Amino acid sequence: MAEDREILREVWDGRVPVCVQLASEDCSTLSAPDPYYLMIPRLSYFPLVMDKVRKHFLRFTAQELQDAEMWLESDGTPLKWHYPVGVLFDLQCGGSALPWCLTAHFSHFPEQDLIRCQTREVVESHFMSSLKEADGLKHRGQIITNMQGKDHKQLWMGLCNDKFDQFWAINRKLMECTPEEGFKHIPFRLHSNCQPPLQRLIKPIAEDGRKMTLGDLLHEFLPSAINEGDRVVIQGIEAPQDTPLQWLSEHLSHPDNFLHICYITAQT
Amino acid sequence: MPSSQVFAANNCGRVFSLSTDQSCWRELPYLGVEFKRVSAHETVLWALGGDHQVYVFVYGSSVPIRVCEESYENQRWNPMEGFTSVLLPSDRANFSSADGLAPRPLSSVTLPTLAWSWESAWHLHYTHNGQALDKEGWTYAIDFPRTYTAEKRWNSYVRRRKWIRYRCYVALDTWSAVPPIHHDPAQEPFIDISVGGGEVPGEDPDKLMVWCVTALGRIMVREGVDGTCPEGCGWAHVPTPPDQDVTSVWVGRSGRVWAVTWDGTAIVRTGVSRDCPTGVEWVVVDPPEGSRLQQVAVGVNSVWGITRDHRVWYRRGLQASQDTGSDSGKHDNETGHKNLDTGTTWLLMVGLLNMIAVGPNDQVWGISIEDHTILVRTGVTETELTGRTWRPICLPAGTFETPPPSMNSSPSSSPCLLPFPTSKISSSIDSKQPTDTFTKDEQSSPSSSTGVSLKALEDNDLVIAEKVFDKLQLLQVQDAETEQENDVKLSRKENDESPGKESVKNHDTTTQNEGNDSAAPDDSRESSIRIRYPEDYPSSLSSSVISEHGGDFISSLQASDDCILPSDALVASQNSSEVKTSHEKVSEDADSTDIQSRENSTAASNNQVKPEKQEHLLIHAEQQSTSSSMEWSESRLRHTSSSSSAGSEAGLSRGSLVVPREEGANYKLLALEAEHLWLWVTGGGCWIRANNMPKWFVSECCPALSTEPWRVGVLQKLRDRHGKEMKPFTGYEEAVEGSSWVISGQCRWWVKGQWVPASLELIMIGSRRSQVQDATLIVRYTLGSKRVEEISCSTILMSVMCVEPTASRSFVAIYHPDHPLWPKTLSFSAETDAEDWLNHLSTACNQFRGLTDQPSFYTVWGVTSQGDIFLHDCSTTEKELRAESVAAHQRLPVGTGATPITLLLNRGFRPGCFVSISGKIHCNADQFHINLQTSRGTDTDIALHINPRFCEKTAVINSKKKGIWGAEEFGQLEVLSPGDHCEVSVVCDDKDFKISINDKFWYSFKHRLVVTKITHVVVRGSITVDEVTYNHGAGERQLTEWYWRGLGGHLQRVQGGAGGVTWGISHDFHVYTYTGATGGGLYKASSNDAGVQIMSDVRHMYVWENQRWNPVTGFTYRGLPTDRHTWSDQTGRHQRAKESVKLQSRHWSWTSEWCVDYHTPGGVDREGWQYATDFPLSYHAHRYATDLVRRRRWVRKCRVSTSGPWQQMEKVALVHVSVSPECAEDGTIPVWGVSVTGEVVVRLGVTHNKYQGEKWKLVPAECPMCSVCAGVDGCGVWAVSKDGQAHLRLGVTKKTPQGVQWVNVDSPGQPLVEVSAGAWSVWGLDRSGSLYRRTNVLPLFPEGTAWEWVCGSVASFSIAADGSVWAVLDTYDTEKGTVQGVIARRVGVSRSCPLGTGWEHTIGTGWSSVCARVPLPL
C-alpha cells in the first residue's frame, strides 16, 4: 500500500474530549463528585480507557455496586462499548457541544441495549474478530491467518497503549494490496443513528476499471438521497465524495480495519 | 532509481520521450524528418527516418563529447641548420601520428561530420609525462622512435612536439543524419535498425552495436560507435545465408543478435563477443509452428517474437550469455552456445501486438494491435522473465518544446538550421569560429530557401558535388515515378485492413490519388503554410497523414504478410521511402503554399513547417579526409554543395512561381482530432523494475496523490478536527498515558573476545507523537554469571550495519564515546532483524536528540566504503552546548557574605567560563581583593588578583606564581567607591581575562598562568558579598563525541557547500542532490520522508587470476609454493575465489556474470592479462621475455536498490563534484564537476533554495581532468588533470565565479589525485596517499611556490573554508591495533606550524570519504 503517514498519524492522534458525570442515582455521597474530564483516543474502545473514571467514581458509590459493571450513557442513549469511541461520538454528539457529556452508571444495566463487558479480554476478542472479518473481506482472510500470535498481540497492544508505530508495523501488512486490483472488498459499516449498522459487499474498483468513490458507496447503499443538512462523517470529518474507497479504507479505517461511516441526518 | 526514458514514434512520425519520473510524453525536437522506427540506448537514440535513412540523437549527456586530435611535428638535427623539418627519407613525416607510422599534416585533420565542430585552433601541448615543457614544447630523443625527454642533450638528434586541437560533438539533443552506405542514399535505403551492446562481457559499456537492415535484405553494422563517436565511422556488411534476406534485426544488450528473414524464420548470430563484435555464423531458428515471424526483440536473458498474425511468443531455453573471456576453447563454446543463444521452443503468450521491444533488465514493451497504445509487461523479474500482464501506458502527449540548452557554451544548444528535404544540405562549420557560423546560419536560412552556408566548403567539393547531384536527380525522378504507383497500391491495401472510419478516409485518399494520377492532390487551400503539427493540423489532412505514415509501417508488415518476393519488397520499401527529392517538388508542385501530395506528405510538411518552426536538421556532411575511408569522403557533403549551387532552382520550391494546382477541398464527415497512434516504441535506455514501476500508472503513485484535491481536503479537515476537538482541551487528562514502549529481541553480543547469546531490550519512554524522552538499550547476557549492560541512547553516537554474507550473520555496530573506534557489536542471524534493530536504535537516538528536521548548513558529511551516508550537524552540537551552558549557570553559596570567602569552582575554569561577584563595599573601605587561584590555601598560585586600593587611589591587577608576584598592572579606580554596590565579573577568554565592573568593561589582563588550573575564587577585604555566580561555560565537544546521523541512499562521495547545497555521486557516476529529507533506505520510521526517492547504484566486484610461467607448459596455475593464490584479491595476500565473492546485503543483486576485465589499470593484452617479472612487481600489458608471471582481473557487476533523500540529476555522469563553500556575488553557489570524459563543468544557478541549479557550463581545459575543488574567493578553484598535474583557475572572484583561465601548477613529483583549498591554504593528495601543502599561497600569488609533504596514508581529504583540514586516514594506529578508514581533523595548525602536528580522530572506521567545507561561523 502506498502509505501516507501524514494522514495515518493525524487519524491516529484523534482525541475526543469528554466530561463524565456520575449518575445521580448511583451516588451514595451527599455531594455529587466532580465530573471527570478526559481526552479519549477516537480509535479506542470505552472499556479500555475508562479504568481511571471507574476508579474515581467507585469511591462515591454504594458498597454493593463496587463490583458492578460501569456503563455510559449519552443524552439518554446507552453507549455500545463495541463501537469505537470516535464512531459513538460522531453519532451521538457530532461535535455540537464540546466536551461530550457522558453519564456513568453502575446500576440498572440496560440488558436489552448493551452487551456485558466484564474484562478487557472481551474487547480484545471482539476487536480480533472484527479484524479477521475485515481481512476476510479484503484478502479472503489470508493475511490475518498467516500472522503469528505475537503479531496479533502487537496490534492489540498497540491499540491499548496508543502506540502508532507498534500498531502500524503490523497493520501495514493488513493493508497490502496490488495497486491494480485493490482489496477484494472494502470492509465498511454504515452507521446511522436510528438503524443498526449496514454492511454490504463493495469492490474498490468497478467493472469498467473505474475507481469507486465514497459517493458511489453512498449512492448505492443509502436508503434515500442525502437531504440537505445530512452529514456523512468518517473519523469526524466529512470526506470529499470523490475520495477513492480504496484509499479511504487504507487510511481512514479504524484499527479493526473497518471503515466506519456515520450517516447523520439533519433532524437529529 | 535514476530516471530514464522510453521513446516512441507515432503515426505522424514524431518521436516522443517519456521519463520514468514524469507522466507526460514529451516530443523531441522536430527538425523536418519523420521517423518510423527508433531504438534507444542509455545515452543515444538511433532512428530510421521516413526517408529510410538512419539518424542519431544524442540525449543522454549534457557534458559535451570532446575529442582531442593530435599530431606530432618531427624535426631532425643537421649540422648545417640545426633542427629542421627536413628529415631523412627513412624518417617519419614532418607531421605524423604519435607512432610516426601515418603522416598527419594539420590541414588533413578534419572534422568527421558536421555534428562536430572545432573548439579551438591548433596549438602546442606543453606537458610531457607530467612535466612542463618550454615555450616551444619540444621533446628530444636520440632517434625515432625512442623515449623522448624534455631536456635537450648533446646527442638529441631528433625532436618532436605535439599539436593538439579539440573537436566537440555539437549535435547534442538534436537529430543528426548518419551517412548512408553508398553515395546515393536512395540506392540502398534502410528498413530496420536496432541498437544494442553495452553489456557485452568485457566490452566497454559505451561501445554500442548498431545493426541495420537495408531494403536489399542485407544486414549492415555500423562500426566504431562509442561514447566519443556517437555516430560511428563506417558500415560493414554482415553476410546472411543465401536466400535468407532479412527484414528485421534486433541486437540485445549482451550482444545477442536475432534477425527475421522474409520467409518468417529467425536467424541467430552466434559467436558475438568482444573480440568478434559481428559474430561468427548464423543459426536458423524455426518460427512457431504454422506462423511466420514478423519481428523479434532480444534481451539479455530473453527473446520475444511477434508473428505476422500479431501473436506474441516467448523463446524458452535461453540462458544468460556466458563469459567469453574464459580460456576454454572457442569450439567447445560455440557448440555449447548455440543452444544458449537460440533457445529451445516458442511459448505462446497472451495478447496481440503490433511490435514488441525489450529493454534493460529484460523488461518488455509492446504496442497493442487494437488501439495502438504502448504496453508494459508487468512483473518481469529475473526469475519470472515472462512477466504477468500487459499494462497500457495512457498518458498525455506534450508537444514539442524547445529543449533547454544543454551547455550554453556549445553551439549545439540551438538546433541547427538546415532545411532537410530540399537539398540534403548541411552547413559546414567554420572551423575557427563555430559559434559565429551558426549565428549566421540562423539568420540566413529562414530567408534563403536553401539555407546553405557555403563559406567553408572548398571549391573542388562543389564541383564533385554538382556532378553527384545531377546523378541523384535523375535517379530520384525515377524513384518518384515508381513511388507513386506503389503508393496507390499501398493505399488500397490499407483499405482492406484499416478498420472503421480510417478506411473511409483512406478511400477518399485513394480515389483522389487515382483521379489525379501523378498529380499531387490538394487537401485544403486554406490550410496552406501553417504549422500543421500537431494542434493545427487540419483534421482532413491528419487522417491522410495517419494512413500515410501508418501505411509505411503497415506496408512493410503487409509486404511480409503477403509473402512478397524480395524484389517486390524492395519496391515497396522504396516507395515508402518517399525519397525526399526536392527536385520532384520543384518540378511537380513548386508552389510551397500548396499542400503536397500525400505521397510526398512527409516531405511536404517538412517544407512548410520549416520556415516557421525554425528548427532544422543537422546532417552530417562528412568532410573529405584523406585518412578516412572512401565512405567518409564520398558522403552527402556532395549533395550539400550541389544543391546549394542549384540554390536558385531550389528556391523555386518556395517561391510560388509555379501556378498552384487547384483541387476541391476534401472534408471529413466527422471533425475528429488527430488520433495519436503509436507505431514504434523502444525501452532500450529505460530502466524500470517490476516491483517499482514508474509514475505512469497513477494509482500506484503516492506522491501524485498528495496533490489530489480529495486528499488535500481530507488532510485539511483532519487538521480542522484537531483544532476543534483537541486544541481547546489540552488541559484534559489523557485517557491513555504515554507509557514506555519496549522492543525486545535476541542477538549475540561481543564480549571479551567471544559471541555470547544475549537478549536485547530497547526501552523508550515518551509521550505521544513518538517523542522519545529517554531511551535505553539493555543487553542481558550470561558470561559466567548473569550480566546486564545498559546503554543510554544519549551516549550512542552512531549505529552502523554490515552484513557478513559468508557467515550469514549481520552486525549492528554501536559507537560509544568510550571506544570511538571499536564499536559494541550486536550480531543477528537474520538480516531483517539487524535492519529492524538498526532502525529502532537510530530512530530512538534521533528522536531523543530531537533530530527530525533538515540538517543545518554546517554539516560534515561522511560516506563509508559500504556506500552508507552519515552526517554530523555542527549546529546541533552548538545548540546542545548552549543549552548546557545555560544549565551550567550556578549561584555559589556565600553564607552571610562576610569576607573572607573561598569558593570552589567545581567544574574548573577555562576559556568561556566566567565568575561574577556582587557585593557592597564597606563605607570606610580601604581595599578588597578578588583572587582566582589554583588551590584553597593562601600561599598558592594566583592567576588573577584584582585589588582596588581606595587608600592608594588605585586598583592593582596582578598574578602570583610560586610565591612571587608578577608585574603589577593598574586599572582605573573611579568606577568603584566605598559604600557602593558593585558587581565585578571576570570572563576567561582565550588570551586574557576580561574584567567588567557593573556590566561595563573595565580591564583586560593577559593570561600569565595556565587558566585551567584555577580551582577557587577568593574574596577578601572590606566588602560584603551578596552573590557569587559561576558559569563553567559550554563543555567542549571532542570530535569523538559527535553524533552521526545515518541517511538512506548509496553514494560514493557526498559534497556539501554553502547554503546547505549538497551533491553526491554514486558509484555508477550518477549525480544526486540532497533533498533535505531524512530517512530512506534502512531508516524507515522517519517523520520527514517526503523527499525520499528510489535509488540504485552499481558496483563492481573484482577477483584476480594469477599464473606463473614454466618452461614446459607455459603459463599455468601451478605457481611456486610462495606464490599468491590462483584466485586472489588485489594484494594477492588473500585467497578470493569467484564463488566466495558475495553480495553486500539482501538489497543487492548481480547484474552480470564474471568476465575478464579489459579495463584493468595499467593496460592488458588481448586476453586481459598483465605481465610482470614476478609478483608483486609492476605489471604491464605487453609480455617481455623476462616476464614469468601474469595476472588478470575478473569483474562482476552488482546493483543495489535502495531509497534515500537524494534526487537524481539527469543527463550527466560525473566522476567528481565539488560545491563551493561560499556564495558568489549574485547569490548563486557554483558547483564544479568533472565528467567521465574529463571535462570540467560548472553548474550555474544553484542557490540554497534550488539545489539542482539551472544549467551546465563547460569550462574547457587543455587536458582531461580527474578532480576539481570549487571555491569562490579565498579558496579558488583547483583541478587535477588525469596525468596528475594541478591546475588553478585564475580570476575566480565573487563577481566572476567561473574564472578566466587555467594555469598549470606542477605536481609534487608524484602525480596528484586531488587538490582542495580554503582560506588561502591549498592542500593536495597524491596517488600514493601522501598529503601535501602548497607553500606561499597568497591572494596576490595564488599559485604558491612548492608542495610540502605533510603525511602519508591519507585516503581522501577535505579543506573547510576556514582552512581546517579533514581527512580519511587509510590506516590509523590505536593501542588496540590498526584500524582503517578513520575520519580525522588536522590539529596543531598554526601560523608558525602550518602543516599541523597530528590528527584528531572521530568515531567509526571504514569511512571512505569526508566533506567538511562549511565551518560553523564563530
Side-chain angles (χ1 to χ4, degrees), chain B residues 47-238:
Chain B
L48 182 68
D51 56 350
H52 288 234
Q53 295 303 319
V54 174
Y55 296 85
V56 65
F57 186 103
V58 180
Y59 71 90
S61 171
S62 55
V63 177
I65 300 165
R66 288 169 89 215
V67 173
C68 179
E69 292 284 0
E70 53 183 50
S71 177
Y72 285 88
E73 182 182 0
N74 307 302
Q75 291 195 342
R76 180 173 283 280
W77 187 83
N78 71 53
M80 308 292 288
E81 296 147 18
F83 281 105
T84 61
S85 46
V86 180
L87 293 129
L88 298 178
S90 60
D91 276 346
R92 48 190 61 186
N94 187 10
F95 282 89
S96 75
S97 56
D99 54 10
L101 297 179
R104 213 168 143 76
L106 296 186
S107 60
S108 76
V109 181
T110 51
L111 293 172
T113 67
L114 278 180
W116 295 87
S117 94
W118 290 117
E119 199 180 86
S120 58
W122 283 104
H123 56 275
L124 286 170
H125 186 77
Y126 289 112
T127 50
H128 173 70
N129 295 337
Q131 199 177 350
L133 298 174
D134 62 0
K135 259 199 312 222
E136 299 221 290
W138 292 105
T139 53
Y140 300 87
I142 265 189
D143 196 3
F144 301 117
R146 299 278 166 83
T147 41
Y148 298 88
T149 55
E151 303 86 43
K152 184 179 174 183
R153 300 204 186 95
W154 64 271
N155 58 357
S156 298
Y157 287 112
V158 297
R159 66 176 184 180
R160 70 169 188 181
R161 58 180 172 181
K162 185 159 124 185
W163 290 85
I164 57 168
R165 186 179 196 187
Y166 277 93
R167 61 182 156 93
C168 186
Y169 191 80
V170 293
L172 292 175
D173 283 327
T174 187
W175 289 104
S176 128
V178 173
I181 306 168
H182 308 282
H183 312 174
D184 174 7
Q187 189 179 335
E188 193 169 354
F190 294 93
I191 57 170
D192 195 15
I193 184 162
S194 174
V195 185
E199 287 177 24
V200 179
E203 184 58 284
D204 293 0
D206 69 341
K207 192 101 179 161
L208 302 188
M209 303 171 73
V210 180
W211 290 55
C212 293
V213 179
T214 69
L216 301 175
R218 298 201 301 161
I219 286 191
M220 304 298 292
V221 177
R222 188 77 184 161
E223 292 175 318
V225 181
D226 59 27
T228 54
C229 186
E231 76 265 297
C233 57
W235 291 105
H237 178 219
V238 175

Side-chain angles (χ1 to χ4, degrees), chain B residues 557-609:
Chain B
L557 301 190
Q558 275 179 336
S560 48
D561 263 345
D562 301 344
C563 290
I564 302 177
L565 292 169
S567 59
D568 281 0
L570 172 62
V571 177
S573 62
Q574 273 182 344
N575 96 55
S576 53
S577 78
E578 303 155 350
V579 186
K580 312 268 186 266
T581 51
S582 55
H583 325 294
E584 188 189 7
K585 269 169 261 139
V586 172
S587 60
E588 287 192 13
D589 35 21
D591 184 354
S592 65
T593 61
D594 244 354
I595 290 179
Q596 305 281 330
S597 70
R598 285 181 185 77
E599 289 83 357
N600 289 332
S601 67
T602 331
S605 62
N606 292 341
N607 249 347
Q608 291 172 358
V609 168

Side-chain angles (χ1 to χ4, degrees), chain A residues 4 6 10 13-15 17 36-37 39 42 52 98-99 162-163 166 179 235 237-238 243-244 247, chain B residues 700 710-711 714 717-719 721 724-726 729 732-737 739 741 768-770:
Chain A
D4 191 339
E6 200 173 9
E10 203 65 53
D13 284 336
R15 296 279 185 282
Y36 203 107
Y37 295 96
M39 293 298 278
R42 274 181 165 269
K52 284 184 209 169
L98 291 173
D162 194 26
K163 292 295 178 202
Q166 197 175 356
Q235 296 284 7
I237 61 159
E238 289 179 73
T243 316
W247 187 86
Chain B
E700 277 184 28
W710 45 262
R711 194 248 178 213
V714 165
K717 284 177 178 168
L718 284 170
R719 286 182 175 151
R721 184 190 75 172
K724 187 174 145 219
E725 295 176 3
M726 294 159 66
F729 307 99
Y732 282 27
E733 190 180 337
E734 285 288 342
V736 183
E737 295 289 343
S739 53
W741 174 23
R768 275 184 302 117
R769 292 259 174 202
S770 37

Side-chain angles (χ1 to χ4, degrees), chain B residues 1246-1264:
Chain B
V1246 179
T1247 64
H1248 81 277
N1249 295 322
K1250 203 160 132 199
Y1251 287 2
Q1252 294 242 340
E1254 276 157 9
K1255 57 185 176 189
W1256 288 107
K1257 184 179 192 308
L1258 174 75
V1259 182
E1262 275 309 305
C1263 39

Side-chain angles (χ1 to χ4, degrees), chain B residues 351-481:
Chain B
L352 294 176
L353 298 185
N354 265 339
M355 69 85 58
I356 195 162
V358 177
N361 283 359
D362 296 311
Q363 298 294 326
V364 187
W365 311 76
I367 291 179
S368 72
I369 175 168
E370 59 275 354
D371 45 7
H372 294 260
T373 49
I374 290 178
L375 307 173
V376 185
R377 189 81 181 164
T378 60
V380 178
T381 59
E382 278 162 50
T383 48
E384 200 180 355
L385 288 164
T386 51
R388 296 208 191 113
T389 53
W390 294 108
R391 184 130 192 232
I393 302 179
C394 298
L395 292 174
T399 52
F400 166 61
E401 299 158 24
T402 312
S406 55
M407 194 64 86
N408 64 352
S409 68
S410 76
S412 71
S413 50
S414 63
C416 311
L417 296 167
L418 290 163
F420 173 63
T422 330
S423 50
K424 303 204 186 288
I425 290 162
S426 46
S427 83
S428 87
I429 300 160
D430 187 318
S431 45
K432 280 186 185 129
Q433 292 163 306
T435 328
D436 284 354
T437 316
F438 270 83
T439 331
K440 278 175 204 157
D441 280 353
E442 274 166 10
Q443 289 159 352
S444 65
S445 41
S447 53
S448 87
S449 61
T450 53
V452 185
S453 122
L454 289 169
K455 290 184 287 290
L457 292 180
E458 287 163 86
D459 286 346
N460 59 342
D461 279 354
L462 284 176
V463 178
I464 305 167
E466 251 167 336
K467 282 181 197 156
V468 178
F469 181 76
D470 290 340
K471 232 166 62 189
L472 180 76
Q473 200 170 7
L474 280 173
L475 199 120
Q476 281 172 335
V477 169
Q478 284 166 10
D479 280 348
E481 280 165 15

Side-chain angles (χ1 to χ4, degrees), chain A residues 10-65:
Chain A
E10 203 65 53
V11 168
W12 183 270
D13 284 336
R15 296 279 185 282
V16 172
V18 295
C19 161
V20 194
Q21 278 172 309
L22 183 61
S24 52
E25 72 262 28
D26 294 339
C27 181
S28 61
T29 54
L30 280 177
S31 58
D34 288 339
Y36 203 107
Y37 295 96
L38 202 61
M39 293 298 278
I40 302 179
R42 274 181 165 269
L43 302 187
S44 192
Y45 295 91
F46 272 120
L48 303 180
V49 295
M50 295 311 267
D51 285 350
K52 284 184 209 169
V53 178
R54 187 184 147 84
K55 268 185 209 148
H56 174 71
F57 286 133
L58 273 179
R59 290 185 279 146
F60 302 94
T61 54
Q63 197 58 232
E64 67 271 18
L65 292 174

Side-chain angles (χ1 to χ4, degrees), chain B residues 225-298:
Chain B
V225 181
D226 59 27
T228 54
C229 186
E231 76 265 297
C233 57
W235 291 105
H237 178 219
V238 175
T240 45
D243 306 328
Q244 300 260 355
D245 285 344
V246 172
T247 60
S248 157
V249 71
W250 195 286
V251 196
R253 291 177 72 87
S254 59
R256 186 175 269 164
V257 180
W258 282 55
V260 175
T261 61
W262 279 106
D263 55 359
T265 55
I267 51 175
V268 180
R269 192 74 178 166
T270 57
V272 177
S273 68
R274 176 180 183 271
D275 299 324
C276 184
T278 53
V280 178
E281 61 172 343
W282 292 101
V283 176
V284 177
V285 170
D286 288 329
E289 191 92 13
S291 318
R292 284 155 187 273
L293 282 170
Q294 172 193 307
Q295 189 226 332
V296 283
V298 184

